[in-house]
């Protein structure tokens, strides 16, 4: 995945994530817009979003962090 794709997925994640969204729902929603992205790519974009947006929206960043960590722990990402 190149930097442009990473940024595009990151932007999508920030737009679609909601406070009550589970990691599974977030992954499904992200794949609707980025069908060729792997779970690993989406988890990387989530970590990128966390870093890039930490000061802007704590609620969204918290959900992205939960998703990214869940992907790393499960071994799928």
């Amino acid at each position: 995945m190149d930097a442009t794709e990473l940024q595009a997925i990151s932007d999508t994640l920030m737009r679609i994530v909601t406070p009550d969204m589970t990691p599974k729902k977030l992954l499904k929603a992200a794949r609707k817009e980025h069908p060729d992205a792997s779970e690993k790519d989406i988890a990387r974009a989530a970590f990128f979003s966390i870093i890039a947006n930490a000061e802007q929206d704590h609620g969204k960043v918290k959900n992205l962090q939960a998703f990214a960590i869940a992907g790393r722990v499960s071994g799928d990402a």
Side-chain angles (χ1 to χ4, degrees), residues 40-53:
K40 187 175 186 176
D41 291 339
I42 295 169
R44 284 182 180 155
F47 278 118
F48 177 81
S49 293
I50 292 165
I51 295 165
N53 299 294

Side-chain angles (χ1 to χ4, degrees), residues 2-71:
D2 66 17
T4 304
E5 292 171 302
L6 180 71
Q7 183 65 53
I9 296 170
S10 173
D11 291 344
T12 297
L13 292 172
M14 283 303 294
R15 190 177 80 265
I16 64 175
V17 70
T18 61
D20 61 335
M21 190 173 264
T22 65
K24 190 173 185 175
K25 288 181 183 178
L26 181 60
L27 179 62
K28 185 176 180 180
R31 281 204 170 138
K32 283 184 182 178
E33 295 192 35
H34 304 278
D36 295 332
S38 68
E39 186 172 343
K40 187 175 186 176
D41 291 339
I42 295 169
R44 284 182 180 155
F47 278 118
F48 177 81
S49 293
I50 292 165
I51 295 165
N53 299 294
E55 296 296 320
Q56 295 177 4
D57 194 329
H58 296 286
K60 287 184 177 186
V61 169
K62 184 178 175 183
N63 269 16
L64 290 175
Q65 181 182 27
F67 167 75
I69 291 171

